Amino acid sequence: MVLQSLLKNCLQLSCILRTPKAGFRSTTSGGLIIQSTSSDVYQNLAVEDWILDHMNLENRQVLFLWRNSPAVVIGRHQNPWQECNLRLLRQKNIKLARRRSGGGTVYHDLGNINLTFFTTRKKYERMENLKLVVKALKALRPQLDVHVTDRYDILLDGQYKISGTAAKLGRTTAYHHCTLLCNADKFVLSSVLKSPYKGLKSNATPSVPASVKNLFEEDPSLTCEMLLDAIAEEYATQHQIDRHITLINPADETVLPGINNKTEELETWEWVYGKTPKFSVSTCFNMVYKDSFLDVKVDMDVKHGRIEVCNIDLPEQWLPPALCSELVKSLTGSKFCPNETTTLATMLLRVCPQDNELHSRWNLLWENMVMLM
Amino acid sequence: VCIHRVRSCSSIRFIKSKYVCVFDKSALKFSHQQRLFRTSAVSCGQIVQFKLSDIGEGITEVTVKEWYIKEGDSVSQFDSICEVQSDKASVTITSRYDGIIRKLHYNLDEIACVGKPLVDIEIDASKGVAPEEDVVETPPMSHEEHTHQEIKGHKTLATPAVRRLAMENNIKLSEVVGTGKDNRILKEDILNYLAKQTGAILPPSPKAEIIPPLPKSETVPAAPKDKARKIPVPVSRPIVFSGKDKTEPITGFHKAMVKTMSAALKIPHFGYCDEIDLTQLVQLREELKPLAQIRGVKLSFMPFFIKAASLGLLQYPILNASLDESCQNVTYKASHNIGVAMDTEQGLIVPNVKNVQVCSVFEIASELNRLQSLGSAGQLGTNDLTGGTFTLSNIGTIGGTYAKPVILPPEVAIGALGKIQVLPRFNGKGEVFKAQIMNVSWSADHRIIDGATMARFSNLWKSYLENPASMLLDLK
């Protein structure tokens, strides 16, 4: 891999990116390979958005290479509550991102590489891209048993998924991106991608779970860098371009004007959670209070990540009726989010009668409610 | 008005050509009517069926996942209409036309077919659009030809909606910096330009005529509006701003705040403020900071303020009490659970440090660290957020000197701490020295607390902080 100095890269890239037509005329290349210097999932997703919106890919294609620090990435139309263990994510400080392409949920960490193939909409062709990846892998390690399925997955040894695919089509440009498991933490992967939330009903795109394996397990001499190099080389060969990788910094406004706005948008609660298609939660839980067991039934409709309708069935008189209706009224319209719910509960407690018994019942109920989120 | 126009248009469709001549002449006299008749006379609200274009890879069906518009909305060319999904690919469908959405052919989660109509759009003005053209196949430039304007030899890219906005506000597009693709001028650019012009007199434009897209046989001589433009100088023009008010319901967190604060203001508050000389404390903290660091704790001023408050509460327990709803009984709380107001993304939260009366300054600092990191991660639990008996709000980290804090029920007192400023003060010898001054503003419930009690508590708290060594005498 030939790494030119960062400054030269930026200059070259900014020429190409800002005056795409001029760039196209002046370079002989029909392609460009870029790699992100950041491992922030939101910044990297923003780069994809930026290229989709700003680059003219009429006679050029782009390959974007990136890796992220631990993050769960859900598809555009998915439900994060259905797809992953949000509680565990929060505990382990693993980020949650919603990408703009479709498809299912994946876990990223630095042992996973991401490849994005940018083309015009006309030249959008996923199978070709994946075959390129397989070719690169076989060139690197001829004994690897890897092939592409008709679901656009790449399987190792005929049964283990090592790559998943998703795509986004804009007005004139399109991209196809895929993951590739080199040396990711499989233990964390399987624990975060298991949802503990029961009673969810939604039309969101469901993920199709699959057994995964790292390429590293098959051949311990493989590293992410080697895979990136091999794929870049194959891409360069197929597009007849120079085999060098331009580094880009996804926070650099001079090279990518407007990129920070895109990054911010991807980080907002409204995007990550608020874009969840309408769903309902219908579940019950047991509470143990002093020596009694209580059954509580909860029904909620959640739209745009906010509770639209809320129904809580408590044992009669366990909480004063006025308080119960206060509970429901305040939940309605609030975010389906443990932080918001806890803040709400504790604030409301200030205006309740100051009775220790009442307070402990109230707290118990809210703690259980928060477990649903 | 829109609907009315459509109805009247449909009735005159067959005599289209005659109306073109008649209305154009009268349009020249009345500038507002110019727009009205221009749009209706020529196109007559032609409804075009916008078909779902080819997705590629031989895909014939997609699922509609999100609508960005609804029936009756107006759209500009290139605005997003909906998001569809097919086999892991998410596609944004954008409008090919300017117009008004008249019909959505699918509901959410329904399957849409490629090549079949997706939405019906009523087209705005004469664009000569051929409805059968595939959006995907046509390269971008041909869409933009009819939106180009030659102004002083410059080609400026802008959609008709944007151009209309510019025209309404007498803006020359050549003077606006476009931030869209290919330096296209967007609505935001016009609004930003307008914002910068506030108060300024818009310069008269000598040459540039913004030519509305009428058929070429008609020319547009100067309307009265143009004559007004040629008068040089200080006729200040009303600045037209097209922003709209936005109303949204109060939900969740804010609803709870409304309730809590309304209850709080039922408490008769009185205020008491003072100035504290923290010069010695600043020095002490500098010495102790590295020691705390070694033990893994970040030491701010708050642990000192909190501990001093607790020592004060031991002498004036009425400030750590609670009045019941009927104002019949006062409960003196045994624990000093001192709340610390925190500003998070969500808004104000007040976690509290439990049992400060038995905690050392270091323990308080450590607990504060824990609460702060949980607070910024949005993971505070109900236990940390309830049970507070007294609150301190360090608004000074953001700024300010004196404040008027609102008591958080069921408590009876609260203190707001301003920022620490370096100010000149006189010492005992009458010399001026550099002092680190912070202001405190207390509010207390006047039903059970009187001014003298508050003042004495404040003096005690102040003395502990101005002379930190004295805290050693009373530390438990």
Side-chain angles (χ1 to χ4, degrees):
Chain A
M1 177 161 83
V2 175
L3 283 176
Q4 298 189 334
S5 73
L6 201 62
L7 187 61
K8 199 171 172 198
N9 283 341
C10 282
L11 233 42
Q12 185 181 10
L13 188 70
S14 65
C15 285
I16 295 171
L17 292 175
R18 275 202 229 148
T19 54
K21 294 180 213 78
F24 141 65
R25 264 186 251 125
S26 65
T27 63
T28 51
S29 65
L32 181 64
I33 306 175
I34 55 181
Q35 184 167 346
S36 174
T37 56
S38 162
S39 62
D40 179 298
V41 61
Y42 306 109
Q43 286 186 339
N44 289 328
L45 289 172
V47 172
E48 289 184 323
D49 276 351
W50 193 96
I51 297 179
L52 192 76
D53 286 345
H54 291 109
M55 272 188 90
N56 179 352
L57 296 166
E58 261 317 305
N59 284 292
R60 185 199 307 115
Q61 303 194 0
V62 176
L63 174 66
F64 175 43
L65 309 168
W66 43 298
R67 286 196 279 166
N68 296 320
S69 49
V72 168
V73 184
I74 58 174
R76 173 71 173 78
H77 309 289
Q78 292 201 294
N79 181 329
W81 288 275
Q82 235 176 7
E83 298 299 329
C84 54
N85 190 336
L86 292 172
R87 255 177 269 141
L88 195 57
L89 259 79
R90 287 175 206 124
Q91 270 170 33
K92 285 182 174 289
N93 235 340
I94 296 176
K95 297 190 194 169
L96 177 68
R98 178 187 297 267
R99 57 177 191 267
R100 293 194 191 268
S101 57
T105 303
V106 283
Y107 170 72
H108 290 188
D109 66 19
L110 291 169
N112 167 73
I113 64 174
N114 300 301
L115 317 160
T116 312
F117 299 85
F118 290 91
T119 59
T120 54
R121 251 179 88 149
K122 277 177 86 166
K123 298 225 179 96
Y124 165 71
E125 179 46 76
R126 295 181 282 184
M127 216 28 115
E128 263 182 37
N129 298 334
L130 292 170
K131 287 191 179 146
L132 187 156
V133 175
V134 165
K135 193 160 177 220
L137 292 175
K138 290 220 162 113
L140 191 60
R141 294 283 185 275
Q143 80 280 14
L144 276 178
D145 173 9
V146 283
H147 76 274
V148 188
T149 68
D150 51 17
R151 275 199 79 239
Y152 305 105
D153 292 337
I154 301 181
L155 294 186
L156 178 64
D157 299 336
Q159 44 171 312
Y160 299 107
K161 184 168 167 179
I162 57 168
S163 164
T165 268
K168 172 95 189 94
L169 284 78
R171 200 167 51 82
T172 53
T173 341
Y175 64 76
H176 157 219
H177 54 201
C178 59
T179 55
L180 191 60
L181 287 173
C182 175
N183 190 7
D185 190 332
K186 275 195 340 189
F187 179 69
V188 176
L189 187 153
S190 51
S191 56
V192 298
L193 293 184
K194 208 184 312 207
S195 164
Y197 304 106
K198 308 256 175 293
L200 294 174
K201 241 201 288 193
S202 107
N203 280 333
T205 314
S207 291
V208 177
S211 315
V212 296
K213 196 171 181 186
N214 282 306
L215 282 168
F216 175 82
E217 292 173 67
E218 191 75 4
D219 181 343
S221 67
L222 283 173
T223 65
C224 287
E225 285 76 15
M226 290 168 72
L227 293 177
L228 287 169
D229 265 349
I231 292 165
E233 171 144 20
E234 185 60 41
Y235 188 87
T237 311
Q238 285 197 17
H239 288 84
Q240 290 152 359
I241 56 170
D242 216 357
R243 201 201 84 175
H244 83 254
I245 300 176
T246 310
L247 291 182
I248 56 165
N249 173 7
D252 191 346
E253 284 279 332
T254 57
V255 176
L256 308 162
I259 186 91
N260 286 307
N261 279 341
K262 290 193 186 288
T263 308
E264 271 165 34
E265 199 196 327
L266 289 166
E267 290 170 319
T268 61
W269 190 92
E270 277 64 34
W271 175 260
V272 178
Y273 295 95
K275 281 292 183 186
T276 308
K278 186 168 176 178
F279 69 98
S280 65
V281 180
S282 195
T283 184
C284 49
F285 52 81
N286 300 31
M287 298 195 302
V288 179
Y289 186 67
K290 297 203 168 153
D291 285 325
S292 46
F293 290 86
L294 305 140
D295 273 322
V296 181
K297 194 165 169 328
V298 177
D299 288 284
M300 285 191 273
D301 281 347
V302 182
K303 189 175 170 188
H304 301 313
R306 286 175 185 269
I307 301 170
E308 219 182 21
V309 170
C310 177
N311 215 355
I312 307 178
D313 261 321
L314 285 168
E316 227 174 291
Q317 298 303 320
W318 195 72
L319 277 181
L323 212 53
C324 288
S325 63
E326 195 55 54
L327 205 145
V328 167
K329 245 198 332 187
S330 31
L331 277 176
T332 310
S334 76
K335 291 181 186 168
F336 190 65
C337 154
N339 191 27
E340 175 129 333
T341 308
T342 308
T343 318
L344 255 176
T346 50
M347 285 194 94
L348 286 172
L349 211 54
R350 291 185 181 277
V351 295
C352 291
Q354 297 303 303
D355 172 351
N356 280 337
E357 172 83 8
L358 184 64
H359 281 213
S360 22
R361 289 185 185 204
W362 179 263
N363 278 342
L364 180 64
L365 177 63
W366 282 100
E367 272 159 21
N368 278 281
M369 289 295 289
V370 162
M371 291 297 274
L372 299 175
M373 307 177 187
Chain B
V1 170
C2 284
I3 298 167
H4 177 74
R5 230 186 321 141
V6 171
R7 287 204 206 107
S8 59
C9 283
S10 56
S11 62
I12 60 169
R13 205 173 296 186
F14 302 104
I15 38 176
K16 195 163 63 163
S17 48
K18 184 172 158 193
Y19 269 66
V20 165
C21 300
V22 172
F23 285 141
D24 282 335
K25 284 194 189 127
S26 58
L28 304 176
K29 292 184 193 143
F30 306 100
S31 53
H32 67 281
Q33 277 181 12
Q34 190 176 15
R35 280 195 285 287
L36 202 67
F37 289 121
R38 164 169 43 92
T39 54
S40 56
V42 186
S43 73
C44 297
Q46 181 190 0
I47 293 194
V48 168
Q49 289 196 320
F50 176 43
K51 299 202 175 112
L52 180 60
S53 53
D54 184 32
I55 308 287
E57 295 183 332
I59 291 168
T60 52
E61 283 179 349
V62 297
T63 313
V64 177
K65 284 310 232 178
E66 189 172 336
W67 283 111
Y68 293 121
I69 42 85
K70 54 186 189 299
E71 287 175 13
D73 281 352
S74 59
V75 285
S76 308
Q77 192 178 41
F78 311 140
D79 280 354
S80 297
I81 288 198
C82 65
E83 198 76 19
V84 301
Q85 183 170 249
S86 157
D87 193 23
K88 308 186 200 182
S90 188
V91 191
T92 309
I93 307 291
T94 54
S95 176
R96 198 189 180 293
Y97 315 111
D98 288 336
I100 299 169
I101 304 287
R102 285 296 168 213
K103 183 172 177 190
L104 305 183
H105 285 260
Y106 300 99
N107 291 322
L108 282 181
D109 290 318
E110 279 187 348
I111 311 261
C113 300
V114 171
K116 295 260 167 61
L118 187 66
V119 290
D120 288 349
I121 304 181
E122 182 191 318
I123 296 189
D124 220 25
S126 67
K127 297 287 176 244
V129 175
E132 292 308 309
E133 262 182 78
D134 190 329
V135 182
V136 181
E137 300 292 334
T138 325
M141 289 316 289
S142 71
H143 286 298
E144 284 139 33
E145 265 144 29
H146 59 269
T147 65
H148 281 179
Q149 267 168 251
E150 298 271 3
I151 297 178
K152 294 181 183 168
H154 251 298
K155 261 197 183 156
T156 348
L157 297 180
T159 65
V162 170
R163 285 185 345 166
R164 198 175 316 130
L165 186 62
M167 183 167 66
E168 283 170 10
N169 292 297
N170 288 321
I171 294 173
K172 275 193 295 185
L173 285 178
S174 58
E175 284 180 11
V176 181
V177 177
T179 60
K181 182 178 172 176
D182 295 332
N183 294 321
R184 174 189 304 282
I185 296 172
L186 308 172
K187 263 177 222 168
E188 292 87 337
D189 300 323
I190 304 281
L191 294 177
N192 283 337
Y193 182 84
L194 272 173
K196 287 191 197 129
Q197 294 291 314
T198 311
I201 296 163
L202 295 174
S205 49
K207 288 193 237 173
E209 299 292 328
I210 296 173
I211 303 164
L214 280 174
K216 287 182 187 145
S217 52
E218 303 294 323
T219 49
V220 187
K225 211 174 16 173
D226 291 339
K227 281 203 193 123
R229 254 191 268 145
K230 275 164 190 158
I231 298 170
V233 173
V235 176
S236 72
R237 217 169 291 268
I239 306 294
V240 177
F241 177 61
S242 326
K244 285 200 194 114
D245 288 345
K246 188 172 134 184
T247 306
E248 43 185 44
I250 295 183
T251 57
F253 176 77
H254 293 286
K255 224 179 358 191
M257 272 288 262
V258 169
K259 229 177 140 55
T260 320
M261 288 299 135
S262 306
L265 284 186
K266 290 195 186 123
I267 304 172
H269 284 54
F270 78 89
Y272 178 87
C273 304
D274 205 352
E275 181 186 280
I276 324 280
D277 183 347
L278 294 180
T279 314
Q280 289 191 27
L281 185 64
V282 167
Q283 202 173 342
L284 178 66
R285 178 179 161 253
E286 279 309 306
E287 291 170 19
L288 294 177
K289 230 170 53 170
L291 293 176
Q293 197 68 41
I294 293 169
R295 296 203 241 167
V297 163
K298 193 165 166 243
L299 185 69
S300 63
F301 287 105
M302 277 310 272
F304 297 101
F305 298 153
I306 292 171
K307 189 58 184 173
S310 172
L311 291 175
L313 291 173
L314 286 173
Q315 304 303 319
Y316 300 97
I318 187 89
L319 290 161
N320 196 54
S322 186
L323 194 56
D324 71 5
E325 283 188 0
S326 53
C327 301
Q328 298 280 331
N329 296 301
V330 163
T331 310
Y332 293 85
K333 302 278 176 163
S335 302
H336 298 172
N337 298 338
I338 299 189
V340 179
M342 274 184 202
D343 174 45
T344 62
E345 278 174 4
Q346 214 141 309
L348 171 73
I349 53 167
V350 191
N352 57 82
V353 179
K354 299 276 194 292
N355 294 308
V356 176
Q357 75 277 10
V358 296
C359 291
S360 66
V361 171
F362 179 78
E363 284 165 346
I364 298 168
S366 162
E367 181 62 5
L368 263 185
N369 279 186
R370 183 186 75 88
L371 291 173
Q372 272 155 353
S373 58
L374 283 180
S376 48
Q379 288 177 33
L380 284 167
T382 43
N383 195 40
D384 290 325
L385 290 168
T386 55
T389 58
F390 184 87
T391 301
L392 285 177
S393 171
N394 194 1
I395 193 74
T397 50
I398 299 175
T401 50
Y402 292 104
K404 194 175 173 243
V406 176
I407 299 168
L408 296 169
E411 297 166 22
V412 293
I414 184 171
L417 311 169
K419 65 180 187 289
I420 301 177
Q421 301 171 83
V422 178
L423 295 170
R425 287 288 178 271
F426 287 102
N427 64 13
K429 293 186 225 152
E431 296 161 339
V432 176
F433 73 100
K434 212 165 96 165
Q436 306 265 9
I437 303 291
M438 181 185 79
N439 303 109
V440 61
S441 310
W442 303 104
S443 291
D445 185 339
H446 219 333
R447 295 174 296 184
I448 53 166
I449 300 172
D450 57 39
T453 309
M454 191 72 242
R456 291 193 187 107
F457 168 84
S458 179
N459 286 344
L460 182 56
W461 184 77
K462 173 174 157 149
S463 71
Y464 283 134
L465 293 172
E466 289 189 334
N467 186 9
S470 64
M471 276 173 80
L472 281 172
L473 279 178
D474 298 324
L475 278 173
K476 289 193 205 273

